[in-house]
């Protein structure tokens, strides 16, 4: 598995929420200044090539659905962060949060 770009992750977040949908269904919940339909369609096809998404065809239309769960991706990203920034140590990650005053844990509860 490889990390997603910001645009790919935004689309995956939507697909995880809606579970399946056509490109128009992915565009609907996006905030204003939405990307073009063709841009979203291209990103979804990239996600399919990367193994995150599959589709069911209805003639020329495709209904997309995630084949990598949000939990699977979350686990991958957290492990990658731990390995890359905290020497695979959860204790070092905890210490980081404890020491960084700009990260107030109470505001995230």
């Amino acid at each position: 598995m490889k990390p997603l770009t910001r645009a790919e992750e935004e689309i995956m977040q939507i697909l995880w929420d809606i579970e399946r949908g056509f490109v128009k269904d992915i565009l609907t919940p996006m905030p204003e200044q939405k990307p073009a339909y063709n841009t979203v369609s291209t990103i979804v096809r990239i996600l399919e090539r990367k193994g995150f998404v599959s589709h069911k065809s209805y003639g020329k239309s495709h209904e997309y659905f995630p084949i990598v769960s949000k939990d699977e991706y979350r686990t991958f990203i957290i492990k990658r962060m731990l390995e890359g920034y905290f020497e695979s140590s959860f204790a070092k990650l905890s210490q980081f949060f404890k020491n960084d005053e700009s990260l107030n844990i109470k505001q995230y509860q």
Side-chain angles (χ1 to χ4, degrees):
M1 191 179 306
K2 291 185 177 181
L4 300 174
T5 66
R6 188 173 28 171
E8 292 166 348
E9 191 170 333
E10 182 179 5
I11 288 171
M12 284 305 299
Q13 291 287 352
I14 292 168
L15 277 172
W16 285 320
D17 286 345
I18 66 174
E19 297 180 2
R20 57 188 328 110
F22 299 90
V23 172
K24 66 178 180 59
D25 301 319
I26 297 167
L27 271 165
T28 300
M30 290 182 141
E32 282 311 309
Q33 305 245 331
K34 299 175 191 256
Y37 180 97
N38 287 341
T39 301
V40 172
S41 179
T42 298
I43 294 169
V44 171
R45 286 194 312 273
I46 290 168
L47 287 165
E48 191 167 23
R49 280 196 304 272
K50 287 184 169 184
F52 282 84
V53 170
S54 189
H55 75 273
K56 183 173 181 182
S57 296
Y58 299 94
K60 292 184 179 183
S61 296
H62 294 81
E63 183 180 39
Y64 296 97
F65 52 90
I67 54 176
V68 172
S69 74
K70 191 173 191 174
D71 284 340
E72 288 173 302
Y73 187 68
R74 180 180 17 225
T75 299
F76 165 75
I77 287 299
I78 290 172
K79 283 182 179 179
R80 182 179 163 98
M81 183 187 63
L82 278 171
E83 291 167 2
Y85 295 97
F86 301 100
E87 302 169 22
S88 298
S89 168
F90 189 75
K92 288 183 181 186
L93 172 67
S94 298
Q95 190 64 41
F96 169 77
F97 282 108
K98 182 179 175 187
N99 292 340
D100 192 327
E101 293 177 14
S102 69
L103 297 170
N104 181 347
I105 298 249
K106 289 181 182 175
Q107 79 185 55
Y108 295 107
Q109 292 179 340

